[in-house]
Amino acid sequence: MLHYLAKRLLSLALSLTIASMVIFAVIEVAPGDPASFMLGTGAQEETVAALRSELGLDQSKVSRYLDWVGGMLTGDFGTSYTYRTPVAKMVAERLWVSLPLAIYALTLSTLIALPAGIYAASRRGKAGDMAVMGATQLGVAVPNFWFAMLLVLVFAINLRWFSAGGFVGWDKGLWAGLHALTLPAIALALPQAAILARVMRSALLEVLGEDFMRSARAKGLSQKQAIRRHGLRNALIPVLTIIGLQFSFLLAGAIIIEQVFYLPGLGRLVFQAISARDLIVVESVVMLLVFAVILVNFLVDMAYAVVDPRLRRTS
């Protein structure tokens, strides 16, 4: 297990190094100069040069990359060009919205999808299976931003059970914060639940056809007992993969939902930073999101090893 863990940690470090280089290179070659953008087209060259020097933009790209990476390793993401505040502080404030939203949505998605997928697999070809598959097909087809606006129309405007947007802050209490994130979490969760339910059903159906499942049934176990004792554990590997990918998507890809509900999350921060050519904010937030994706994949690999010990011996 230690050898397996060491290999995965080395892979994680290498992936982060390559990702940092790619992110820095791609953002640096993007057209437009932050200093010129901030001062406007009528600014004098001397003023622009002075601002570039103040922001550190006159240094070589290699030097700026090393300063950026070295700062991130110590928790210093630099200072925002536009807001003149530490990027780490801005990210921390927004993360306290995006991270709970992603966890909330993933929890709802998992609680809906796993029972639905198991139910459909255990009733293959029957009415229950067709109903679940029809619902998941609808969930995959409906865009989440349209579903989000429908939720606002029904539950915020008509029923007035929730606010139409904004975030009250966690200082108002856990219930108030979760209440504000409920509609966005549902809008994010249902399409992901549809995908996860289909994966759960397919994985479980594949396991049900294996010889060891037939042997379990031959020994007197009911289908429910065989699924619970032997089927679920062996069907979890593809499900864990999708859950890991979904968490990464929910954390990094919720920008449209954050715009619909006016949530001050990481997605809106990146959108605003791109609009303002605030490169240091874009680089740092994107790198943080990439780190989250790679870390989640690493944790999923560890979960594989727990679920299926054979992977530790073959890796």
Side-chain angles (χ1 to χ4, degrees):
M1 185 64 181
L2 289 177
H3 178 67
Y4 181 82
L5 178 61
K7 288 182 64 175
R8 290 298 178 266
L9 286 173
L10 180 60
S11 175
L12 184 147
L14 182 60
S15 299
L16 287 176
T17 302
I18 296 174
S20 68
M21 294 178 179
V22 172
I23 291 169
F24 186 84
V26 169
I27 293 178
E28 287 297 321
V29 300
D33 177 46
S36 300
F37 184 88
M38 293 170 64
L39 294 173
T41 56
Q44 298 180 353
E45 293 184 5
E46 295 81 2
T47 307
V48 174
L51 182 57
R52 285 181 56 83
S53 177
E54 180 184 347
L55 298 177
L57 297 174
D58 57 340
Q59 301 177 17
S60 68
K61 286 182 171 52
V62 174
S63 177
R64 288 168 55 197
Y65 170 76
L66 294 176
D67 289 343
W68 174 58
V69 172
M72 285 194 298
L73 291 175
T74 61
D76 181 10
F77 290 1
T79 302
S80 168
Y81 299 159
T82 304
Y83 300 100
R84 301 300 180 93
T85 57
V87 177
K89 180 180 178 181
M90 297 174 63
V91 169
E93 292 173 350
R94 305 302 182 99
L95 193 61
W96 278 107
V97 177
S98 292
L99 183 59
L101 175 60
I103 295 174
Y104 194 180
L106 186 65
T107 301
L108 291 178
S109 173
T110 304
L111 290 177
I112 294 170
L114 295 190
I118 295 170
Y119 177 82
S122 62
R123 289 163 175 78
R124 183 179 184 180
K126 298 181 180 179
D129 181 24
M130 290 186 286
V132 171
M133 288 298 98
T136 59
Q137 188 66 41
L138 182 63
V140 171
V142 174
N144 59 4
F145 68 88
W146 181 87
F147 185 59
M149 291 187 288
L150 181 64
L151 290 176
V152 171
L153 178 64
V154 174
F155 294 102
I157 297 177
N158 291 339
L159 298 178
R160 300 181 183 276
W161 290 355
F162 299 89
S163 63
F167 184 67
V168 297
W170 295 110
D171 56 333
K172 301 294 184 181
L174 179 62
W175 168 247
L178 291 177
H179 188 264
L181 294 179
T182 295
L183 290 186
I186 293 174
L188 287 169
L190 289 187
Q192 301 305 313
I195 297 172
L196 188 59
R198 298 177 74 89
V199 172
M200 182 73 248
R201 175 184 179 273
S202 299
L204 193 53
L205 285 177
E206 184 176 348
V207 170
L208 289 175
E210 297 290 340
D211 291 338
F212 69 87
M213 290 296 293
R214 287 192 286 267
S215 298
R217 293 296 306 277
K219 290 178 180 179
L221 293 180
S222 66
Q223 186 178 39
K224 290 183 179 180
Q225 291 174 327
I227 290 175
R228 185 174 64 253
R229 295 183 185 181
H230 305 287
L232 286 179
R233 184 182 182 90
N234 290 276
L236 276 180
I237 288 182
V239 174
L240 288 173
T241 302
I242 298 301
I243 289 177
L245 293 174
Q246 285 187 344
F247 179 76
S248 303
F249 168 78
L250 292 171
L251 184 61
I255 180 173
I256 297 178
I257 298 301
E258 290 180 2
Q259 292 289 341
V260 171
F261 289 97
Y262 300 100
L263 295 176
L266 289 176
R268 289 195 70 195
L269 178 61
V270 172
F271 179 79
Q272 294 165 353
I274 292 174
S275 301
R277 290 291 299 164
D278 203 338
L279 299 184
I280 188 67
V281 174
V282 178
E283 291 169 352
S284 298
V285 175
V286 172
M287 187 63 210
L288 178 65
L289 295 176
V290 169
F291 172 73
V293 172
I294 295 175
L295 179 62
V296 168
N297 289 335
F298 169 77
L299 295 176
V300 169
D301 284 343
M302 293 298 101
Y304 286 170
V306 173
V307 172
D308 190 351
R310 293 172 297 178
L311 295 175
R312 300 199 294 264
R313 295 191 293 267
T314 58
S315 299

